Amino acid sequence: MQPTTPRTDFIPVVLGGDIGAYALCRQFHEAFGILPIIMSSGFVGMIQHSRIVDRRLVASLSAHDLLEAITAIALEDRERRVLVVANTDPLIEALETIHEKLPLNVVCPIPPRAAFDAVCDKDTFAELCAAHGLETPRTEVARLAGDEPIAPCAIPFPVVAKPSVSAGYYDFLLKGFKKVYFLSSQAELDELWRDLRNAGFTGDFLVQELIGGDDTHMDSLTLYIGRDGAPRLLGAAQVLLEDHAPTMLGNPVAMVIREKPELWEKASALLADAGYRGFANFDIKRCPVTGREVFLDCNPRMGRNSYYNVAGGVNPMEVLVRDAIDGIIDEPRRADKPALYSLVPLPLLKRYVPAGPLLDEVKDLASAKRVFDPQRYAADASWRRRLDVALTETNQYRKFAKYYPERTDTSF
């Protein structure tokens, strides 16, 4: 529900032009009744035809262009603070580069550089987890810089391979490389190393044991750590279905709210001890055989699916503003109301959720009208936007038919 009197004491600026950025704009609009500025080099249809945003085109989302554009907004109104929010690894990386050069009235709630580096490097992340009693998968590091031969993998196949640091990998996604690889032999792994080197990749890649289980064995943990190092937001959800397009692999498209008190406590302590501040999102895989909860990585942002926390009863942008703008010290808020979050039509989702208690839960939440989709917003429901959302949802059928026609036990 929108407030009776919109807030006018700060200017929210959301970076990006995709559905994750729209979800943040909707959160600002719902919590404070304001039209946030959304800044990108291009926008998806649901943003292009939105009535709840102030669109600002920039030549690119590079650090240089963002510094120039954000500075211009801040200097237009020096009396108000400008709150800059981003929700992708490359954008957080860019803000890490420029935030000290921004005008004094700009608030940029990102983690300190040392903490950012510690949690984003999946190699050092494993060390942090071990220190806090959190399990990570067995891992080897392949260093692709230079031309030295890479030793054969000692982890039994099949394995999973992914970049050690996601932020520097975005350009390679544009070249056709995947976010995550499922590899069944050493020959496939050697071919990947050759392709990456030939494409100019000089970073590190991780090779990890495959934790079995389909998409429903994935969990998401979202936290916000306040300026004093204490948690303000605790959210968690069980994934029902992930996107399976190569460049989007691993992004959930449907989730149900869960409570994770023990993991919230340990993850909060990990972030606080690392000196972390702001939003963080953890990806966790539950082994279907042993029940192990294995932490795969930590993203230095709230995640593309931040709106699941709203479904659970807590608006992340409200939490952010109370800490970063108002300076209020709140007790942690738990996003724990039963809800189904989905970006895909329910008939499509039901094809992939195994029959049993989980599918029954999906049906019960739908019957109780506890289904949340950030794309569908009554305050932003012009016929053109409704058409954009309908076309996007229809396209999901095509995507899943092409990339994941049937559910598998490993989700690959």
Side-chain angles (χ1 to χ4, degrees):
M1 181 179 295
Q2 297 166 38
T4 304
T5 304
R7 285 190 61 163
T8 59
D9 57 318
F10 72 97
I11 304 169
V13 176
V14 174
L15 305 182
D18 63 0
I19 186 174
Y22 179 81
L24 300 184
C25 291
R26 175 174 173 176
Q27 290 167 43
F28 275 119
H29 190 258
E30 287 186 329
F32 306 109
I34 49 181
L35 274 62
I37 293 172
I38 185 167
M39 185 182 295
S40 186
S41 56
F43 303 104
V44 295
M46 71 180 68
I47 295 176
Q48 188 62 44
H49 302 110
S50 171
R51 298 184 295 201
I52 67 162
V53 301
D54 176 0
R55 288 173 293 277
R56 304 284 181 96
L57 280 170
V58 289
S60 76
L61 292 174
S62 67
H64 174 270
D65 288 341
L66 287 175
L67 175 60
E68 198 170 82
I70 295 169
T71 298
I73 292 170
L75 296 182
E76 286 175 8
D77 190 345
R78 298 172 185 264
E79 300 303 313
R80 290 196 290 170
R81 281 175 290 180
V82 176
L83 179 60
V84 180
V85 184
N87 206 13
T88 69
D89 289 346
L91 285 171
I92 299 296
E93 175 73 39
L95 291 176
E96 291 284 351
T97 302
I98 67 173
H99 78 276
E100 292 183 347
K101 304 173 185 177
L102 292 166
L104 294 178
N105 61 324
V106 176
V107 179
C108 199
I110 55 175
R113 185 75 212 203
F116 172 86
D117 290 338
V119 304
C120 289
D121 187 311
K122 296 177 177 63
D123 194 11
T124 57
F125 172 67
E127 298 175 5
L128 287 170
C129 285
H132 289 274
L134 299 170
E135 189 169 355
T136 56
R138 181 182 174 186
T139 301
E140 292 182 358
V141 182
R143 310 196 185 281
L144 276 76
D147 55 8
E148 290 293 319
I150 297 174
C153 179
I155 300 173
F157 287 90
V159 296
V160 172
K162 57 189 177 182
S164 179
V165 180
S166 300
Y169 188 66
Y170 181 72
D171 288 344
F172 292 89
L173 293 177
L174 299 180
K175 294 178 182 179
F177 288 91
K178 298 178 181 179
K179 286 181 61 180
V180 182
Y181 284 87
F182 172 80
L183 303 157
S184 58
S185 69
Q186 184 63 50
E188 291 181 4
L189 193 56
D190 291 339
E191 182 179 4
L192 175 61
W193 301 154
R194 286 195 299 271
D195 290 346
L196 284 165
R197 279 178 162 172
N198 289 338
F201 183 80
T202 57
D204 295 345
F205 239 68
L206 303 185
V207 182
Q208 296 181 328
E209 65 170 311
L210 174 69
I211 308 298
D214 65 6
D215 291 350
T216 65
H217 287 82
M218 287 293 303
D219 290 331
S220 173
L221 214 66
T222 299
L223 296 95
Y224 178 81
I225 305 298
R227 290 181 297 172
D228 60 351
R232 297 283 186 271
L233 166 65
L234 303 170
Q238 177 181 353
V239 175
L240 300 177
L241 184 63
E242 294 183 340
D243 199 319
H244 285 261
T247 59
M248 300 293 288
L249 192 64
N251 285 321
V253 294
M255 315 166 86
V256 284
I257 300 302
R258 293 287 183 257
E259 295 185 62
K260 296 283 185 178
E262 183 179 352
L263 296 186
W264 281 332
E265 182 178 351
K266 290 182 178 180
S268 296
L270 180 156
L271 293 172
D273 288 354
Y276 196 96
R277 301 295 184 267
F279 287 104
N281 176 253
F282 295 85
D283 295 319
I284 305 163
K285 188 75 180 281
R286 283 174 286 103
C287 178
V289 177
T290 65
R292 297 163 59 203
E293 293 181 299
V294 181
F295 276 61
L296 303 181
D297 54 29
C298 176
N299 303 300
R301 48 189 169 80
M302 70 205 80
R304 184 171 182 263
N305 296 285
S306 65
Y307 202 83
Y308 83 71
N309 295 282
V310 180
V314 181
N315 186 323
M317 294 304 97
E318 182 180 327
V319 173
L320 171 62
V321 168
R322 287 178 65 83
D323 178 63
I325 298 295
D326 300 334
I328 298 172
I329 298 177
D330 289 319
E331 291 297 314
R333 297 178 62 187
R334 295 161 54 127
D336 55 7
K337 293 183 179 179
L340 167 62
Y341 164 93
S342 183
L343 299 174
V344 299
L346 286 181
L348 176 61
L349 173 61
K350 290 175 183 177
R351 292 183 191 176
Y352 290 92
V353 179
L358 198 54
L359 182 58
D360 291 341
E361 182 181 4
V362 168
K363 293 176 180 177
D364 289 344
L365 289 168
S367 297
K369 301 189 184 304
R370 291 291 298 166
V371 180
F372 294 77
D373 180 350
Q375 304 168 107
R376 296 186 173 276
Y377 186 25
D380 197 17
S382 67
W383 72 267
R384 189 62 181 85
R385 263 206 87 253
R386 290 200 303 270
L387 177 60
D388 290 326
V389 172
L391 291 173
T392 299
E393 291 182 341
T394 300
N395 188 49
Q396 295 284 6
Y397 286 98
R398 180 194 63 79
K399 283 176 59 179
F400 276 90
K402 180 177 182 180
Y403 296 114
Y404 194 55
E406 294 183 2
R407 184 182 66 85
T408 69
D409 290 339
T410 62
S411 82
F412 288 98

